[in-house]
C-alpha cells in the first residue's frame, strides 16, 4: 500500500469512531492521515474472518474509488476487484442480452470482506488505534468532550464521536431529535446468493455467465423483480442479488404471518424461493437448484429529515447510521465512503485553521452531503420504476431503447421537483450516471467555503 505520510496539524482532534465497517475505517484513515488522534471501536472480538460476510458482494463506482485511492489504497484495491465499463442487460424469460449500457468510467466488483481487509490493514499502517470486542453502553455528550462508557468498564474521552454503527445505530440514540428515527421496512427484499465457480462450470448456460470475469456484470430485468449479478474472481464466486419489489409480507416465500425477521437473516425455504423465481431463464433456475441457503435482506429506510449531528457538535453520524436507503443504485457503501471522505477532509481543514469550529465542520458536512444523499434516493426510486415494469408496451419500449444515447431512466412520477433532476422529468441514462459516478467528494470538501451565507453549498461536480 502507498506510504502516505501522516500530516502534523496545528490543532489535533481526538476522534472515536464507533463501528469499524467500511465507512468507519475510511473515516479513521482519512482522519489519521491529517494527524488526528483516532480510535476505532468494533464490537467483533476478531476483526477479520468473523464478519459472516458470505454472499456479500459490493459494487464500487468511480465516485467511491477516488476516495479509496486518496487513502493510499489504489494498488491494493486493484488486486481484489473485477472491473468493467459495460452492464449487460438481460431479459428474464430467456436470458438473452437486450442491450449493453457502456459507462464512461469503470466500475468494480469486490467482496465486502476483501474491502474490509485492505481498509483494516491501511488503518493499522497509518497508526489508527483499533479496539475490538467492545460494545459501548452510553455517551455523555457535553460542550467540552464526549465521555464514552463501555460494557466491560472501559471509558474513553473524545472531542468528536463518529457513529458509523449501521442501520441499528446505538450512537443515533444519543442525538436527541434522532433518538426515535428508526429504519422502517419498505416492502422490498433482496436475496443474496454466492455460487462457487465449480458449480458455475457444471452447465454451459451458467459457465457462460462466469467466463472468468471476462464479462463480469449482468442485470436481468423482469416483472416486479430484477437480478443484479457479477463475478468475484478473487474468490471464484458468482454473486447474485435477487431483488423482489413485490415481497410485501413474504407470502410468496412461504410465510404465513407478517415478516418480523431481522433486516438481514439466513433464508432456508429454498423450494418456495425457487418457485417465486421459476419464470426466470434456465441459467438462473439451474443456479437456484444448486443453492441450499441464501441471505435475506429486508430493505429499510431511515427518515429523510433525521438530523445527523448533536446540538453540542460532538456526535455525528455517517453511512447507514445517518441515511439508510434502498440499494437499487449500487451506492450504499459508496455513500458511506463519500461521507467519511467529506467529514475527514473538513476536519483536516479545521486542524490547519483554528478559526474553523466543530459547528462549522458539521454544518458544512450536512450542507454538502444531504442534497447528494437525497439525489441518490431519487435515482433509486427511478431505477425501481424502470427496471421492474410488467410485461407490456412500456416494458417493450424500455427494452428497445435501453443503452441508447438519451434513453431516460426516469419517469414523471419520481423526477422533477427536487434533487438532481432540477425539474427535468427526462433525465437520460448518461445524466443519471454522471450525477452518481461523476461526483467528487474530495473536491466538494476541499472547495467548500466556510462562512459563506447559505452554508457555502455549491453545485455538485459531475
Amino acid at each position: 500500500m502507498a506510504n502516505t505520510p501522516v500530516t502534523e496539524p496545528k490543532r489535533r482532534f481526538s476522534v472515536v469512531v464507533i463501528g469499524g465497517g467500511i465507512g468507519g475505517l475510511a473515516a479513521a484513515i482519512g482522519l489519521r492521515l491529517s494527524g488526528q488522534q483516532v480510535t476505532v471501536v468494533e464490537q467483533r472480538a476478531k476483526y477479520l474472518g468473523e464478519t459472516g460476510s458470505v454472499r456479500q458482494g459490493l459494487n464500487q463506482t468511480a465516485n467511491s474509488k477516488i476516495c479509496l485511492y486518496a487513502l493510499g489504497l489504489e494498488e491494493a484495491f486493484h488486486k481484489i476487484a473485477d472491473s468493467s465499463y459495460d452492464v449487460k442487460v438481460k431479459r428474464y424469460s430467456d436470458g438473452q442480452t437486450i442491450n449493453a449500457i457502456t459507462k464512461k468510467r469503470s466500475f468494480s466488483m469486490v467482496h465486502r470482506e476483501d474491502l474490509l481487509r485492505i481498509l483494516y490493514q491501511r488503518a493499522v499502517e497509518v497508526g489508527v488505534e483499533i479496539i475490538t470486542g467492545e460494545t459501548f453502553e452510553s455517551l455523555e455528550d457535553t460542550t467540552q468532550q464526549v465521555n464514552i462508557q463501555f460494557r466491560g468498564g472501559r471509558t474513553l474521552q473524545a472531542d468528536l464521536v463518529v457513529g458509523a454503527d449501521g442501520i441499528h445505530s446505538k450512537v443515533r440514540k444519543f442525538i436527541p431529535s434522532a433518538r426515535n428515527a428508526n429504519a422502517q421496512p419498505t416492502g422490498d427484499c433482496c436475496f443474496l446468493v454466492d455460487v462457487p465457480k465449480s458449480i458455475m462450470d457444471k452447465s454451459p448456460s451458467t459457465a457462460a455467465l462466469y467466463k472468468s470475469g471476462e464479462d463480469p456484470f449482468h442485470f436481468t430485468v423482469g416483472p416486479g423483480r430484477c437480478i443484479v449479478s457479477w463475478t468475484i474472481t478473487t474468490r471464484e464466486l458468482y454473486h447474485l442479488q435477487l431483488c423482489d419489489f413485490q415481497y410485501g409480507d413474504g407470502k410468496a416465500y412461504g410465510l404465513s404471518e407478517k415478516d418480523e425477521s431481522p433486516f438481514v437473516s439466513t433464508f432456508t425455504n429454498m423450494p418456495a424461493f425457487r418457485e417465486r423465481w421459476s419464470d426466470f431463464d434456465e441459467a438462473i433456475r439451474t443456479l437456484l437448484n444448486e443453492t441450499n441457503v441464501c441471505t435475506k435482506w429486508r430493505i429499510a429506510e431511515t427518515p429523510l429529515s433525521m438530523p445527523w449531528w448533536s446540538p453540542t457538535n460532538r456526535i455525528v453520524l455517517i453511512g447507514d447510521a445517518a441515511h439508510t436507503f434502498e440499494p437499487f443504485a449500487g451506492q450504499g457503501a459508496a455513500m458511506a465512503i463519500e461521507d467519511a471522505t467529506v467529514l475527514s477532509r473538513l476536519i483536516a481543514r479545521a486542524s490547519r485553521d483554528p478559526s474553523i469550529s466543530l459547528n462549522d465542520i458539521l454544518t458544512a458536512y450536512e450542507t454538502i452531503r444531504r442534497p447528494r444523499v437525497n439525489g441518490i434516493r431519487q435515482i433509486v426510486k427511478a431505477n425501481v420504476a424502470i427496471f421492474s415494469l410488467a410485461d407490456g408496451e412500456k416494458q417493450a419500449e424500455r427494452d428497445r431503447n435501453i443503452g441508447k444515447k438519451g434513453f431516460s431512466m426516469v419517469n414523471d412520477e419520481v423526477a422533477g421537483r427536487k434533487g438532481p433532476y432540477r425539474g427535468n422529468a427526462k433525465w437520460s441514462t448518461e445524466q443519471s450516471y454522471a450525477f452518481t459516478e461523476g461526483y467528487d467528494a474530495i473536491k466538494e470538501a476541499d472547495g467548500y467555503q466556510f462562512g459563506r451565507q447559505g452554508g457555502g453549498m455549491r453545485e455538485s461536480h459531475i
Side-chain angles (χ1 to χ4, degrees), residues 264-284:
V264 179
S265 62
T266 299
F267 186 78
T268 57
N269 188 351
M270 296 310 293
F273 184 71
R274 295 180 187 117
E275 176 61 28
R276 173 62 176 152
W277 294 85
S278 61
D279 54 341
F280 275 61
D281 73 282
E282 176 192 353
I284 299 301

Side-chain angles (χ1 to χ4, degrees), residues 445-462:
D446 292 354
Y448 181 90
Q449 298 180 31
F450 286 102
R452 180 175 171 180
Q453 189 175 1
M457 186 174 69
R458 300 175 295 107
E459 293 290 315
S460 294
H461 291 273
I462 59 174

Side-chain angles (χ1 to χ4, degrees), residues 376-447:
I376 294 294
R377 283 198 193 211
Q378 274 195 282
I379 288 175
V380 165
K381 302 298 183 187
N383 287 349
V384 171
I386 198 70
F387 290 121
S388 63
L389 291 172
D391 288 345
E393 184 178 336
K394 288 185 177 180
Q395 164 264 323
E397 180 185 4
R398 177 201 66 195
D399 292 356
R400 284 193 302 270
N401 293 297
I402 195 168
K404 294 182 180 179
K405 188 173 182 180
F407 169 71
S408 176
M409 292 175 63
V410 184
N411 65 13
D412 294 342
E413 292 181 11
V414 297
R417 292 163 293 283
K418 296 179 181 179
Y421 303 114
R422 307 185 197 287
N424 180 357
K426 293 297 181 184
W427 256 47
S428 68
T429 302
E430 296 88 353
Q431 288 172 301
S432 293
Y433 280 137
F435 179 86
T436 303
E437 302 175 18
Y439 181 89
D440 190 333
I442 295 170
K443 286 184 178 179
E444 292 290 334
D446 292 354

Side-chain angles (χ1 to χ4, degrees), residues 17-18 23-24 27 136 139 160-179 181 302 306-310 313-324 335-336 338-340 343 362 365-366 369-370 373:
V17 180
I18 296 179
F136 90 93
L139 302 176
L160 182 68
V161 168
V162 178
D165 53 339
I167 188 171
H168 299 296
S169 173
K170 288 179 65 178
V171 175
R172 190 192 303 144
K173 305 298 182 185
F174 293 89
I175 298 176
S177 50
R179 186 169 292 140
T302 46
M306 184 187 77
W308 296 350
W309 44 290
S310 68
N313 307 308
R314 295 194 178 273
I315 301 174
V316 63
L317 305 175
I318 66 172
D320 281 352
H323 47 69
T324 305
M335 291 300 100
E338 287 182 5
D339 287 351
L343 182 62
L362 300 184
Y365 167 68
E366 188 162 351
R369 294 304 299 155
R370 194 173 286 277
V373 169

Side-chain angles (χ1 to χ4, degrees), residues 108-259:
S108 302
M109 289 67 71
V110 299
H111 196 280
R112 178 183 291 273
E113 191 168 88
D114 289 339
L115 184 55
L116 276 173
R117 173 173 50 80
I118 66 171
L119 284 163
Y120 174 83
Q121 291 170 346
R122 183 61 172 154
V124 171
E125 183 180 64
V126 300
V128 173
E129 180 186 12
I130 299 179
I131 300 172
T132 58
E134 288 279 11
T135 301
F136 90 93
E137 288 287 347
S138 64
L139 302 176
E140 182 189 6
D141 184 12
T142 74
T143 57
Q144 300 301 314
Q145 65 179 14
V146 182
N147 301 312
I148 310 158
Q149 181 71 47
F150 293 89
R151 185 174 297 169
R154 184 196 295 260
T155 60
L156 292 174
Q157 289 76 42
D159 296 320
L160 182 68
V161 168
V162 178
D165 53 339
I167 188 171
H168 299 296
S169 173
K170 288 179 65 178
V171 175
R172 190 192 303 144
K173 305 298 182 185
F174 293 89
I175 298 176
S177 50
R179 186 169 292 140
N180 298 315
N182 298 319
Q184 298 298 318
T186 65
D188 300 336
C189 191
C190 283
F191 294 85
L192 311 182
V193 175
D194 278 353
V195 183
K197 180 179 183 294
S198 58
I199 300 297
M200 300 294 294
D201 287 342
K202 284 185 177 182
S203 161
S205 64
T206 57
L209 293 176
Y210 189 84
K211 290 198 304 186
S212 298
E214 294 174 19
D215 179 20
F217 198 93
H218 309 125
F219 193 34
T220 306
V221 289
R225 290 155 295 157
C226 71
I227 301 175
V228 185
S229 54
W230 62 83
T231 56
I232 307 177
T233 55
T234 55
R235 290 180 173 244
E236 294 196 329
L237 294 173
Y238 189 72
H239 175 78
L240 300 96
Q241 295 184 359
L242 297 98
C243 307
D244 194 334
F245 308 116
Q246 299 171 344
Y247 177 81
D249 56 12
K251 287 184 178 179
Y253 293 87
L255 297 181
S256 58
E257 299 179 358
K258 182 180 179 182
D259 192 349

Side-chain angles (χ1 to χ4, degrees), residues 22-23 26 56-69 73 77-78 80-85 103 105-112 114-116 118-119 217 230 241 329-338 436-437:
I22 290 169
Q56 295 254 343
L58 292 174
N59 176 32
Q60 293 293 287
T61 44
N63 49 303
S64 58
K65 290 194 287 186
I66 58 173
C67 298
L68 294 172
Y69 297 168
L73 289 167
F77 182 85
H78 287 311
I80 65 170
D82 290 273
S83 298
S84 180
Y85 286 88
K103 300 185 180 184
R105 304 169 181 88
S106 71
F107 56 100
S108 302
M109 289 67 71
V110 299
H111 196 280
R112 178 183 291 273
D114 289 339
L115 184 55
L116 276 173
I118 66 171
L119 284 163
F217 198 93
W230 62 83
Q241 295 184 359
Q331 291 295 309
M335 291 300 100
I337 292 168
E338 287 182 5
T436 303
E437 302 175 18

